[in-house]
Amino acid sequence: MLDQAQRLRQMASGSKERNVAKSSPKIITVTSGKGGVGKSNFVVNLALTLQKNGKKVLIFDADVGMGNDDVLLGFMPKYNVFDIIFNHKDIEDVIVTGPYGVKLLPGGSGITRVNEITNIQRNAFLDKLSKLEDLDYIIMDTGAGVNRSVLGFIACSDELVIIITPEPTSIMDAYSLIKAVVHFKIKSKAKVVINRTLDKKEGQATFDKFSGAVKTFLKIDVDYLGSISEDRKLIEAVRNQKPFVVANPNCEAAQDILKISNKILGIKTESTGNSVQGLFKRIFNIFS
Ligand SMILES: Nc1ncnc2c1ncn2[C@@H]1O[C@H](COP(=O)(O)OP(=O)(O)OP(=O)(O)O)[C@@H](O)[C@H]1O
Ligand SMILES: [Mg+2]
């Protein structure tokens, strides 16, 4: 565990020393303490909303072995990131393009094969990734919980967004996640989205409860990005495999995502200067 902590810290601090390239995309990692709280729906619909507003967005489905952003977008991709590495596929054949031109790099279920990658395969992959430089945002959808790969993805990103629902179990698990982030000194701030709220008041109250506990016991800044209403249209959209911002752009959840997207567009965070290649280089380091 100590080795791991040291490595995560090195990765995080290494990224600060990188030169900030103008064209480097901003990397947002979306995660949660508890599973099933709405990460994938948030990632897919936020990406679509940013793309609709003129940004170039790539979704990287980094949920190890369990990714389903493709299903939410109505795709059944033939290939995933491991076909690029092991089967000589071109990146264009693997990335699928969705509504408004949003891009998805499917993580597939073979991501644990990272351990098998040779240096030659790795370099060839990074070479292919350089074709992807023309991006404004990369949004990573991680699995839930506190584990090595999730903490690694957080360390590689410019912005950390934690999804919480008003349920006490979700708040508790998010607290544990933040505690690990602080313990390993991975990030000094995080943004919070409260999902499945019955009204705006519940969103603010949940955030206040969470940030109160965090500020009392942990050394990290947490900002409120907004809430997303409990919305039947979202459930329908999942069943129909059509993202709600496309199928129902006026539904409550879509309006909430639009507000959050506008907030993100207004945030002037310093990019860590990660090129797409730099990002994936460090992702490989997490697993090796
Ligand atoms: N705002 C909402 N309104 C109504 N239902 C919702 C909302 N957000 C999520 N859900 C329900 O929760 C389910 C799980 O959402 P999602 O797959 O996005 O969660 P997740 O955090 O990515 O899960 P996992 O941890 O398994 O990856 C959805 O299929 C939907 O039924
Ligand atoms: Mg998910």
Side-chain angles (χ1 to χ4, degrees), residues 21-218:
K22 261 198 198 121
S23 63
S24 51
K26 195 169 285 175
I27 297 151
I28 302 175
T29 295
V30 177
T31 191
S32 67
K34 190 175 184 283
V37 295
K39 289 179 299 295
S40 298
N41 274 280
F42 175 72
V43 164
V44 164
N45 288 282
L46 173 70
L48 286 165
T49 305
L50 287 167
Q51 181 85 29
K52 200 175 171 184
N53 283 288
K55 297 294 172 193
K56 297 192 191 90
V57 186
L58 171 79
I59 301 166
F60 174 40
D61 193 349
D63 189 358
V64 181
M66 309 266 273
N68 55 14
D69 293 345
D70 49 349
V71 183
L72 293 177
L73 278 159
F75 288 123
M76 266 186 49
K78 246 168 122 175
Y79 307 114
N80 62 53
V81 69
F82 286 88
D83 290 298
I84 305 174
I85 296 168
F86 293 111
N87 304 327
H88 308 288
K89 278 280 161 223
D90 275 332
I91 202 144
E92 291 86 359
D93 297 331
V94 175
I95 284 183
V96 281
T97 304
Y100 317 123
V102 78
K103 290 186 160 58
L104 169 70
L105 179 54
S109 54
I111 200 151
T112 47
R113 291 180 69 195
V114 163
N115 293 333
E116 300 165 28
I117 299 168
T118 64
N119 268 346
I120 293 170
Q121 283 169 329
R122 175 190 138 126
N123 290 338
F125 174 65
L126 293 172
D127 243 20
K128 288 182 184 174
L129 276 172
S130 59
K131 292 183 187 166
L132 281 180
E133 292 288 338
D134 188 23
L135 288 170
D136 297 305
Y137 291 94
I138 295 177
I139 308 187
M140 296 208 277
D141 181 4
T142 71
V146 183
N147 60 53
R148 183 181 160 86
S149 62
V150 168
L151 293 176
F153 288 128
I154 295 172
C156 292
S157 62
D158 302 310
E159 288 280 350
L160 163 62
V161 176
I162 299 178
I163 311 284
I164 306 176
T165 69
E167 292 177 359
T169 44
S170 164
I171 301 172
M172 291 292 292
D173 291 353
Y175 184 85
S176 303
L177 175 70
I178 288 271
K179 199 170 159 188
V181 168
V182 172
H183 177 76
F184 292 130
K185 298 192 174 65
I186 297 170
K187 281 268 170 287
S188 58
K189 55 183 184 194
K191 302 229 165 358
V192 172
V193 169
I194 312 292
N195 187 27
R196 307 195 74 158
T197 55
L198 300 177
D199 54 42
K200 292 282 158 234
K201 247 168 76 187
E202 187 180 40
Q204 186 67 52
T206 306
F207 174 74
D208 290 346
K209 201 187 294 173
F210 180 69
S211 77
V214 167
K215 279 179 189 150
T216 309
F217 299 109
L218 305 172

